């Protein structure tokens, strides 16, 4: 994204040098470590093989993880600005600065289970992510805090799957952020190779997803779509992720059909 585009949408990409509504020094050190880690890089590339190459599903690789992590941290920033309580780190006796680290590492590792199989990947992600965390966390935490951090990160990873219920606000952020990667670029690979499933077609209809402070809630998610196929992404995927996330009262979703050239079957959806 260009600097001008980022300036127009300040909650689109997490920028370490910006001012945030939370302590970010430790997060930025962790991100610097993670983004140069060869094992994590290999996982992010390999996890797309089952999802895209073999099952012709939407992108679950490096770009998906980058987008989800950015959306998760921007969503977290907006929620902190709205004084939403985060209980995961707090109830473990961890510091406020650890909330963002939990979110960032969970977002980074939530889909590594795809290297085993797309089906039930959230459960395969747990042991794989646990092994990676055993190597990363000692760089930043003592033994006791490593245990607490690992538990919170793995909980957030598990609960991005709609069959599981988040018990922390941090986990709720990961659950919702995972569904916020729905812009048309996500479906580029399967679409160009001939995939025409509902996930691919509905993603093609979503042109922009914007996060911003809401008037009545801490966060408003605005979605611009060009045809009614985008309703599937909004109603079946994002709505399902928002339900039972613990953030239902904090996030307002507005989807608008921006197509001026064809009959609009759907003008506007609000959740």
């Amino acid at each position: 994204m260009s600097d001008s585009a980022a300036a127009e949408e300040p909650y689109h990409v997490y920028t370490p040098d910006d001012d945030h509504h939370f302590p970010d020094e430790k997060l930025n050190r962790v991100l610097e470590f993670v983004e140069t880690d060869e094992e994590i890089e290999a996982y992010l590339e390999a996890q797309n093989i089952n999802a895209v190459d073999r099952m012709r599903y939407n992108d679950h690789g490096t770009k998906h993880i980058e987008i989800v992590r950015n959306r998760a941290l921007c969503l977290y920033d907006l929620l902190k600005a709205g004084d939403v309580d985060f209980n995961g780190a707090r109830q473990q006796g961890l510091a406020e600065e650890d909330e963002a680290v939990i979110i960032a590492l969970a977002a980074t590792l939530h889909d590594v289970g795809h290297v085993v199989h797309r089906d039930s990947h959230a459960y395969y992600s747990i042991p794989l992510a646990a092994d990676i965390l055993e190597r990363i966390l000692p760089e930043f935490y003592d033994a006791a805090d490593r245990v607490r951090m690992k538990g919170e990160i793995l909980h957030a990873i598990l609960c991005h799957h709609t069959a599981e219920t988040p018990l922390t606000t941090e986990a709720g952020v990961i659950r919702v952020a995972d569904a916020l990667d729905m812009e048309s670029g996500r479906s580029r690979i399967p679409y160009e190779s001939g995939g025409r499933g509902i996930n691919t077609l509905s993603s093609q209809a979503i042109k922009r997803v914007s996060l911003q402070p809401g008037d009545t809630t801490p966060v408003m998610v605005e979605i611009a779509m060009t045809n009614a196929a985008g309703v599937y992404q909004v109603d079946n995927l994002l709505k399902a992720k928002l339900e039972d996330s613990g953030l239902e009262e904090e996030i307002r979703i507005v989807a608008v059909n921006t197509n001026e050239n064809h009959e609009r079957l759907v003008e506007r959806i609000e959740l």
Side-chain angles (χ1 to χ4, degrees), residues 48-57 115:
N48 238 3
I49 302 301
N50 279 329
V52 175
D53 293 359
R54 294 172 179 165
M55 299 182 70
R56 301 174 79 185
Y57 204 73
V115 300

Side-chain angles (χ1 to χ4, degrees), residues 244-262:
D244 296 325
S245 68
L247 296 172
E248 299 94 322
E249 302 301 319
E250 317 297 345
I251 299 174
R252 178 185 172 214
I253 299 169
V254 177
V256 180
N257 191 338
T258 61
N259 190 342
E260 299 291 344
N261 300 320
H262 300 90

Side-chain angles (χ1 to χ4, degrees), residues 47-271:
Q47 66 196 39
N48 238 3
I49 302 301
N50 279 329
V52 175
D53 293 359
R54 294 172 179 165
M55 299 182 70
R56 301 174 79 185
Y57 204 73
N58 284 8
D59 173 42
H60 282 78
T62 303
K63 189 62 179 178
H64 171 63
I65 296 304
E66 177 188 333
I67 292 171
V68 171
R69 188 169 62 209
N70 275 315
R71 297 289 165 89
L73 291 172
C74 291
L75 179 57
Y76 171 66
D77 198 12
L78 284 166
L79 291 168
K80 292 291 284 187
D83 294 322
V84 173
D85 178 56
F86 280 77
N87 64 312
R90 174 173 53 77
Q91 290 176 334
Q92 290 283 10
L94 295 162
E96 182 184 9
E97 65 179 356
D98 298 318
E99 296 168 358
V101 177
I102 291 167
I103 289 169
L105 288 177
T108 301
L109 300 174
H110 77 279
D111 270 346
V112 295
H114 275 89
V115 300
V116 180
H117 205 292
R118 160 68 190 169
D119 298 341
S120 301
H121 70 274
Y123 304 104
Y124 300 129
S125 291
I126 297 302
L128 294 173
D131 285 346
I132 297 169
L133 292 171
E134 281 293 326
R135 184 171 51 78
I136 295 173
L137 292 176
E139 299 286 333
F140 304 97
Y141 295 93
D142 62 23
D145 284 350
R146 288 200 301 272
V147 171
R148 293 177 170 86
M149 286 294 294
K150 184 197 283 189
E152 292 304 311
I153 294 164
L154 294 179
H155 174 72
I157 289 173
L158 180 67
C159 294
H160 88 273
H161 182 34
T162 53
E164 306 297 338
T165 302
L167 302 178
T168 69
T169 320
E170 290 91 331
V173 166
I174 297 300
R175 183 185 179 101
V176 174
D178 186 39
L180 292 176
D181 179 16
M182 62 169 67
E183 290 175 353
S184 57
R186 188 179 184 196
S187 61
R188 176 183 58 81
I189 299 171
Y191 188 85
E192 289 183 355
S193 64
R196 295 296 185 271
I198 184 60
N199 282 288
T200 297
L201 293 175
S202 59
S203 288
Q204 283 287 313
I206 304 295
K207 296 307 174 185
R208 190 185 72 253
V209 177
S210 301
L211 297 178
Q212 52 196 281
D215 294 329
T216 58
T217 58
V219 182
M220 184 177 81
V221 179
E222 185 176 81
I223 301 165
M225 59 185 182
T226 56
N227 67 65
V231 172
Y232 178 84
Q233 290 285 321
V234 178
D235 198 46
N236 290 57
L237 301 181
L238 180 53
K239 181 180 178 182
K241 291 276 191 175
L242 183 60
E243 288 179 352
D244 296 325
S245 68
L247 296 172
E248 299 94 322
E249 302 301 319
E250 317 297 345
I251 299 174
R252 178 185 172 214
I253 299 169
V254 177
V256 180
N257 191 338
T258 61
N259 190 342
E260 299 291 344
N261 300 320
H262 300 90
E263 182 180 358
R264 297 184 185 186
L265 296 178
V266 177
E267 292 277 354
R268 181 183 177 94
I269 299 173
E270 290 200 35
L271 299 179

